[in-house]
Amino acid sequence: MSIDLAKVPFSRRLSYISATVENGNICVHVQRRTYAEGSEKSHCIKLFFTADGKKPHCEYSADVSKLTVSAENAGYAELAFDDSGALRVRCKGVSLQAEPNDLFDVAAVSENEYAIFERGYAPDEFTAFDDCVRDAQADFDAWYAMYPEVGEKHDALKRMCVYMIWVCQIAPRGELKEAAILFSKPTEQACFSWHQVFHSLLMNDADHAVQTLMNLFPNMDAQGELPDLVDDRYVNITATKPPIHGLAALIFLERFGNALTPEHCRKMYEGLSKLCDYWTRKRGFGQTLPFYKHGCESGYDFSAMFAKGAPVIGPDLLSYCILLSEACGKLAERLNLTDSSKWFDLSEQLLSALLSDFWIGTRFAARLADSYEIVEFDELEAYLPMILGGRLPENIINAMAEDLADLEHYFT
């Protein structure tokens, strides 16, 4: 698969560094624009190639395993990542030049081979260059195989999308306790908690899906709140994101069947039960109904749902918690635990409150958590209870569908 270096970086799974082509040079970036420091400092080392002391015109091409630099009337260089995350460079007829940068080290592997890595993260040993290429290709192929078929028409787009997810998974270190998927590479340092859920939903491998779903739960606080984002040096728990994990767990239970092992279920239950308890019991007023503290927690940062202020009990949040508590009940059943009924009872209580207190005839409304004042709005969160499917009465489903069809500002 060819990589368009004008649009996407060259990297590999688990590495913190990536390479782009900018103004005829290769820029090797490290994920260091962290929320902890807010720095705009350049976090890249520039590479270029010379032949006979001159800088020739170069053409660049890449696939998932190797980046090739073709120097006009000279030679070429090849770049690949090894499984430590270091960038390897092999030269033929050209010499590697690197501008000094105190975040990187450049080590000579042999007469014409080099390794570029973050200072303080030197590899224990160097893999043969050709093995780096083969290993990266094999790793991508295995990762690609996890995703559903899309048909020949969209296969090229799928490969590019899967590649971008593959390169954005970074290895655990520091505050990041498990491998997690970045928002983007190379410009965004953070792994956002709810993005991990979206990624897990696409995976057809139970081990990877559960690991991705639960990868930031080691950063959960004592109350059961998940951070909004994590990187290797910073945990932002001043906000959180909606608990959509229950929807994923229910899908996993159906999709994977017996491939979902007791260990998988136990890992999910231990984390999701704490998450559900946080949203429905420990947040705020000791009431059952969950609420958002401010707009950034909802995922729709500027939603009209917050037009009257906060905290707000959103119909979307209620729906997520209905599915989350149901998932806890089904996981408890799979594990033969005695407390499954309490989760199903909680799910029914939340559903009853949603239907009795938040339905306004054509869509759902929100309520202020302190005064219980109704908040009417017509943005997507008002229709998100549709994810409850058959748990909703048919007349409500039909009314929302008709209302959505009449709204010109939605493409349905």
Side-chain angles (χ1 to χ4, degrees):
M1 183 185 88
S2 177
I3 302 299
D4 186 349
L5 293 168
K7 296 180 179 179
V8 298
F10 175 69
S11 188
R12 103 162 252 182
R13 189 172 74 90
L14 303 181
S15 179
Y16 279 71
I17 63 179
S18 57
T20 60
V21 175
E22 301 173 21
N23 299 319
N25 298 316
I26 293 177
C27 293
V28 182
H29 303 261
V30 61
Q31 300 299 122
R32 274 290 173 270
R33 189 184 173 201
T34 177
Y35 285 82
E37 60 187 18
S39 172
E40 295 297 330
K41 177 183 177 182
S42 175
H43 295 141
C44 78
I45 182 172
K46 292 182 179 179
L47 309 181
F48 56 95
F49 300 90
T50 59
D52 297 326
K54 298 179 181 180
K55 185 178 177 183
H57 173 75
C58 293
E59 297 288 341
Y60 303 89
S61 62
D63 57 28
V64 299
S65 61
K66 183 171 64 176
L67 190 162
T68 301
V69 184
S70 300
E72 187 177 34
N73 300 321
Y76 63 89
E78 298 172 308
L79 291 77
F81 282 88
D82 65 27
D83 57 7
S84 75
L87 178 61
R88 303 290 297 283
V89 184
R90 180 167 66 182
C91 299
K92 178 77 171 180
V94 295
S95 299
L96 173 67
Q97 306 292 325
E99 291 185 356
N101 187 300
D102 59 9
L103 291 177
F104 295 90
D105 283 324
V106 180
V109 179
S110 65
E111 184 178 356
N112 64 341
E113 289 189 22
Y114 306 88
I116 300 166
F117 47 86
E118 292 176 77
R119 185 158 296 175
Y121 294 95
D124 294 330
E125 58 183 354
F126 295 112
T127 306
F129 186 91
D130 289 332
D131 289 341
C132 294
V133 176
R134 283 190 290 267
D135 292 348
Q137 185 66 59
D139 192 76
F140 173 77
D141 290 344
W143 187 269
Y144 180 83
M146 288 195 300
Y147 292 86
E149 295 297 324
V150 296
E152 184 177 354
K153 177 181 178 181
H154 300 294
D155 188 65
L157 178 59
K158 173 192 169 182
R159 285 187 175 275
M160 182 57 65
C161 292
V162 172
Y163 169 79
M164 284 304 302
I165 299 170
W166 179 68
V167 301
C168 280
Q169 190 192 49
I170 54 175
R173 76 184 193 194
E175 296 292 344
L176 192 64
K177 308 306 180 185
E178 295 189 21
I181 299 173
L182 290 164
F183 181 78
S184 68
K185 223 179 201 182
T187 57
E188 180 63 72
Q189 171 70 9
C191 301
F192 287 79
S193 61
W194 69 330
H195 291 172
Q196 312 308 305
V197 187
F198 299 146
H199 286 298
S200 74
L201 283 167
L202 289 173
M203 296 174 172
N204 286 328
D205 177 88
D207 287 338
H208 278 287
V210 173
Q211 188 277 329
T212 302
L213 177 69
M214 306 301 294
N215 58 21
L216 297 188
F217 276 72
N219 300 104
M220 175 182 269
D221 71 9
Q223 297 298 309
E225 182 178 7
L226 282 175
D228 185 16
L229 56 91
V230 179
D231 62 41
D232 61 314
R233 296 179 294 163
Y234 179 58
V235 177
N236 178 3
I237 206 160
T238 57
T240 188
K241 281 295 185 290
I244 58 180
H245 307 72
L247 172 61
L250 291 172
I251 291 173
F252 292 175
L253 285 163
E254 182 176 342
R255 175 186 298 167
F256 298 124
N258 291 333
L260 207 62
T261 66
E263 290 73 22
H264 290 141
C265 292
R266 190 171 295 108
K267 183 174 184 177
M268 288 193 290
Y269 181 77
E270 288 176 355
L272 300 189
S273 60
K274 293 177 183 177
L275 183 65
C276 191
D277 193 51
Y278 166 74
W279 279 101
T280 59
R281 289 187 60 247
K282 293 182 178 177
R283 175 166 267 227
F285 309 129
Q287 59 188 31
T288 300
L289 299 185
F291 58 81
Y292 293 125
K293 292 178 181 177
H294 58 76
C296 289
E297 292 189 327
S298 74
Y300 295 88
D301 292 358
F302 305 102
S303 171
M305 181 168 63
F306 297 89
K308 293 184 179 181
V312 167
I313 306 168
D316 57 328
L317 179 56
L318 276 170
S319 301
Y320 297 138
C321 288
I322 289 166
L323 297 180
L324 178 59
S325 51
E326 182 180 317
C328 289
K330 290 189 174 183
L331 289 167
E333 283 185 334
R334 285 281 293 266
L335 294 167
N336 296 314
L337 302 178
T338 59
D339 63 348
S340 60
S341 61
K342 78 173 187 180
W343 298 112
F344 293 126
D345 290 345
L346 175 59
S347 184
E348 288 297 325
Q349 292 169 18
L350 295 171
L351 178 61
S352 177
L354 176 69
L355 296 175
S356 63
D357 293 358
F358 294 82
W359 178 247
I360 56 173
T362 57
R363 59 182 178 271
F364 287 92
R367 286 185 180 272
L368 296 179
D370 50 3
S371 67
Y372 219 54
E373 179 184 352
I374 200 84
V375 182
E376 294 190 34
F377 64 108
D378 68 354
E379 297 185 358
L380 287 178
E381 309 97 293
Y383 304 92
L384 257 168
M386 193 77 85
I387 64 174
L388 297 174
R391 300 169 187 80
L392 295 176
E394 187 174 355
N395 67 298
I396 287 181
I397 294 173
N398 291 337
M400 281 197 291
E402 291 174 9
D403 198 34
L404 276 168
D406 290 336
L407 291 174
E408 295 181 355
H409 54 290
Y410 292 123
F411 296 96
T412 64

